[in-house]
Amino acid sequence: MQWYYAINGQRHGPVTQADFDQLVSTGQIKADMLVWRQGMANWVSYGSLTTGSVASVVSAVSAEASPGALDTEVCVVSGKRYPRREMIQFEGKWISAEHRDEFFQRLREGVAIPGASGLVPGPFGYGGFWRRFFAKFVDSFITGVVGAGCNVLVAYAIFGEWNYLGLSRREAGTSDLLLYQAITLPLGILIGLAYAWFFISRYQATPGKMALGLKLVRADGSALTTGRIVGRYFAEILSGLTLLIGYIMAGFDEQKRSLHDRICDTRVIKVR
């Protein structure tokens, strides 16, 4: 039996029964704190448990799964229908006993799970605007450094000057300037695209997102394909061209979706 508990709105866990009892005995879990375990329909305050112990919760779960519960529900993991007595309920969603471990493993990994009433975006929710902002700042810094290094090499090859922002470049011929732009602009796009594809295809997150505890998934919780990674990269350009309104949308959307998330059916979720 594993428990989750919330302190100042932040979820913690899972913890074993022994650890949970230790937290109670040391006063770290108080009567007004919210707790939850597998089999409970919703989070409840610890003090609302009838005996203040696990036994009361276990009894309630056992009663719900009694042979008299003949109704059936659809499992959100398998999509198959099972008798309620063979299932558990989590935040309004029903999970069959055989898929229970898979369901909660996906929650621990921060994978969104589809259900009749929407998405369960892992135990930590969706990535908010400011967390995503700082993740983007980290990624932009990394790709900017790489891009600047490439620009230096291109400038030296064309202008014979390492300082591609210097006077010698401005005094270069028009043909050299056009050649420089024709090389560096596509190169910058290629660097950003390669950066996104490499990390998202392998880790479901760029270094910036990993540093901020974020992961990029489809609306159904699956990983992005190469085509969707590429499409999302170019769709993100639209978020910038709309005076950054496409990015700001993430601060007001209930699932924290930016414009490019809406276009590509993606979600950014928190994994810690």
Side-chain angles (χ1 to χ4, degrees):
M1 182 185 302
Q2 293 184 319
W3 286 86
Y4 293 83
Y5 59 98
I7 299 178
N8 296 326
Q10 296 294 321
R11 299 185 184 183
H12 299 270
V15 297
T16 63
Q17 181 61 61
D19 291 337
F20 183 81
D21 290 340
Q22 179 67 22
L23 291 170
V24 173
S25 64
T26 57
Q28 296 182 61
I29 292 183
K30 301 178 174 60
D32 60 346
M33 290 175 56
L34 295 176
V35 298
W36 178 87
R37 67 168 292 275
Q38 297 178 16
M40 294 174 60
N42 297 293
W43 288 71
V44 298
S45 63
Y46 178 72
S48 69
L49 302 181
T50 54
T51 63
S53 67
V54 176
S56 61
V57 179
V58 173
S59 297
V61 173
S62 298
E64 182 179 333
S66 64
L70 300 179
D71 292 341
T72 62
E73 297 290 345
V74 175
C75 172
V76 297
V77 178
S78 66
K80 297 179 180 179
R81 187 171 292 277
Y82 296 85
R84 283 192 179 186
R85 64 176 180 272
E86 299 176 3
M87 307 177 76
I88 61 172
Q89 191 177 27
F90 175 80
E91 295 186 354
K93 296 171 177 59
W94 290 88
I95 309 98
S96 66
E98 64 180 295
H99 295 98
R100 178 189 59 193
D101 293 340
E102 178 184 352
F103 178 88
F104 287 102
Q105 178 63 30
R106 292 180 70 183
L107 284 184
R108 286 191 291 271
E109 292 175 353
V111 176
I113 300 174
S117 59
L119 294 171
V120 181
F124 302 105
Y126 297 102
F129 173 80
W130 286 110
R131 189 180 291 215
R132 293 181 61 173
F133 172 84
F134 287 113
K136 184 64 178 179
F137 177 83
V138 172
D139 289 330
S140 297
F141 178 80
I142 295 173
T143 55
V145 170
V146 174
C150 292
N151 288 348
V152 167
L153 296 177
V154 174
Y156 185 77
I158 296 177
F159 306 118
E161 172 63 54
W162 294 108
N163 182 12
Y164 67 95
L165 297 177
L167 179 65
S168 60
R169 178 195 166 201
R170 294 198 298 270
E171 294 176 343
T174 302
S175 60
D176 286 343
L177 289 174
L178 291 176
L179 177 61
Y180 176 82
Q181 294 294 338
I183 294 175
T184 55
L185 288 178
L187 184 60
I189 294 175
L190 182 61
I191 290 171
L193 181 58
Y195 177 87
W197 172 81
F198 179 83
F199 288 104
I200 295 174
S201 63
R202 285 162 174 75
Y203 308 108
Q204 292 185 264
T206 57
K209 285 183 172 60
M210 287 188 277
L212 273 296
L214 300 173
K215 181 185 289 187
L216 184 62
V217 297
R218 289 286 310 282
D220 61 1
S222 61
L224 274 64
T225 62
T226 294
R228 195 169 296 272
I229 294 172
V230 173
R232 188 177 187 275
Y233 175 82
F234 287 104
E236 188 170 351
I237 296 176
L238 295 177
S239 292
L241 292 177
T242 56
L243 301 178
L244 303 181
I245 293 176
Y247 288 106
I248 297 172
M249 287 171 59
F252 302 94
D253 187 82
E254 62 178 4
Q255 295 181 9
K256 308 302 181 184
R257 293 171 297 177
S258 58
L259 176 60
H260 46 283
D261 288 319
R262 287 177 173 269
I263 293 173
C264 298
D265 192 31
T266 56
R267 304 291 187 275
V268 176
I269 59 175
K270 294 185 288 187
V271 294
R272 66 173 184 269

